[in-house]
Amino acid sequence: MKSALITGANRSIGLETTKQLSEKGFFVYLGSRSLEKGEAVVKELNENGYQNIKAIEIDVTNPDSISAARNIVENEQGKLDILINNAGILGTNPQTATNASIKDIQQVFDTNFFGVISVTQAFLDLLKKSDSPRISNITSGLGSLTLHSDPNWKYYHVKGAAYGPSKSALNAYTIVLAYELRELPFKVNVIDPGYTATDFNAHSGPGSVESAASFIIKHTLTDENGPTGQYFSNDIEDESGISPW
């Protein structure tokens, strides 16, 4: 049975992705900053017929938490097939470039950027033991510098000095990571699930968590000929789903 770890998976898109991967026969580690909350979610999932899901405590900003989670996966599975770096925070609003505090911006980057790097580096050796390792970094359309520079883009006026830039940095890191792992069977991509109705945005998005999770899984469970170092977005209205950087 292949295994997957999803950070920030106790609610919203991460939770739905957990459900869908479970249905596809994966053993899923449901990552949650609070083990108690994660276990409560898993209990409810089990009661609704979902199996092979285990709550695992992981705070992506805490090195000790990451290390402990890694040791659990190693002891129980010996390897990891899929890492979905889903945990993220929006930060305080407004996020104006002229007035946003450095502290607030750093807090967003600690989770959305440095947290992803910390988790990825910690689990990389376990992923290398997989026959078809996959790393999907969950990004946002707001991380696209090209779209942000286009006055005709529908979200052109949705700008902030913390969240969007943290995702732009994540995109850039993913390009480098995919390049470094290009000779191995890794597929490393950034995936934007689209503007989805979640607690994250007070359910203001038009998309569903089901569609978002399905899109993530589609571009994670690719075969050996699948792309790597690519940027996919559920908000791109063509069959490729490829977003400009």
Side-chain angles (χ1 to χ4, degrees), residues 137-151:
N137 294 332
I138 306 307
T139 188
S140 167
L142 297 177
S144 170
L145 300 180
T146 299
L147 292 177
H148 264 305
S149 302
D150 180 2

Side-chain angles (χ1 to χ4, degrees), residues 137-141 143 163 167-168 170-171 190-193 231-232:
N137 294 332
I138 306 307
T139 188
S140 167
Y163 180 75
K167 294 300 188 179
S168 299
L170 175 62
N171 293 355
V190 281
I191 304 174
D192 164 30
Y231 182 5
F232 296 101

Side-chain angles (χ1 to χ4, degrees), residues 18-243:
T18 298
K19 292 179 181 179
Q20 292 188 21
L21 278 179
S22 171
E23 290 176 330
K24 290 181 178 295
F26 283 81
F27 185 95
V28 185
Y29 285 98
L30 182 150
S32 174
R33 283 185 299 174
S34 165
L35 183 59
E36 182 179 3
K37 289 182 179 179
E39 289 179 337
V41 171
V42 171
K43 181 176 183 294
E44 184 176 347
L45 289 173
N46 291 160
E47 291 171 351
N48 285 282
Y50 294 97
Q51 301 298 320
N52 300 313
I53 301 172
K54 178 174 180 174
I56 189 169
E57 183 176 353
I58 182 166
D59 179 345
V60 304
T61 66
N62 185 322
D64 291 337
S65 173
I66 296 170
S67 179
R70 181 216 169 277
N71 290 339
I72 289 172
V73 174
E74 180 180 34
N75 291 335
E76 294 183 354
Q77 303 291 331
K79 66 179 178 67
L80 183 66
D81 297 288
I82 293 174
L83 172 61
I84 299 179
N85 286 305
N86 171 72
I89 61 173
L90 181 61
T92 58
N93 278 310
Q95 296 180 1
T96 62
T98 51
N99 293 313
S101 74
I102 293 297
K103 181 179 179 181
D104 288 343
I105 295 175
Q106 287 176 330
Q107 185 178 35
V108 173
F109 268 74
D110 281 343
T111 296
N112 297 359
F113 180 59
F114 296 114
V116 171
I117 297 173
S118 296
V119 172
T120 299
Q121 291 181 348
F123 283 89
L124 197 56
D125 64 330
L126 298 183
L127 287 159
K128 286 180 178 179
K129 295 179 180 180
S130 171
D131 294 332
S132 53
R134 301 289 182 266
I135 300 175
S136 293
N137 294 332
I138 306 307
T139 188
S140 167
L142 297 177
S144 170
L145 300 180
T146 299
L147 292 177
H148 264 305
S149 302
D150 180 2
N152 295 315
W153 184 42
K154 60 183 175 181
Y155 300 124
Y156 176 72
H157 296 290
V158 184
K159 287 181 164 53
Y163 180 75
S166 75
K167 294 300 188 179
S168 299
L170 175 62
N171 293 355
Y173 168 76
T174 304
I175 290 174
V176 177
L177 180 64
Y179 175 80
E180 290 184 9
L181 297 173
R182 70 193 184 282
E183 301 298 336
L184 299 174
F186 278 83
K187 302 299 179 184
V188 183
N189 295 292
V190 281
I191 304 174
D192 164 30
Y195 189 15
T196 306
T198 66
D199 296 341
F200 197 79
N201 53 42
H203 294 269
S204 60
S208 69
V209 291
E210 291 81 8
S211 172
S214 177
F215 188 81
I216 290 170
I217 291 173
K218 172 184 176 181
H219 292 289
T220 298
L221 302 185
T222 54
D223 62 27
E224 61 182 10
N225 298 314
T228 191
Q230 191 55 267
Y231 182 5
F232 296 101
S233 174
N234 206 12
D235 281 337
I236 296 297
E237 297 175 357
D238 64 48
E239 291 185 4
S240 73
I242 295 175
S243 173

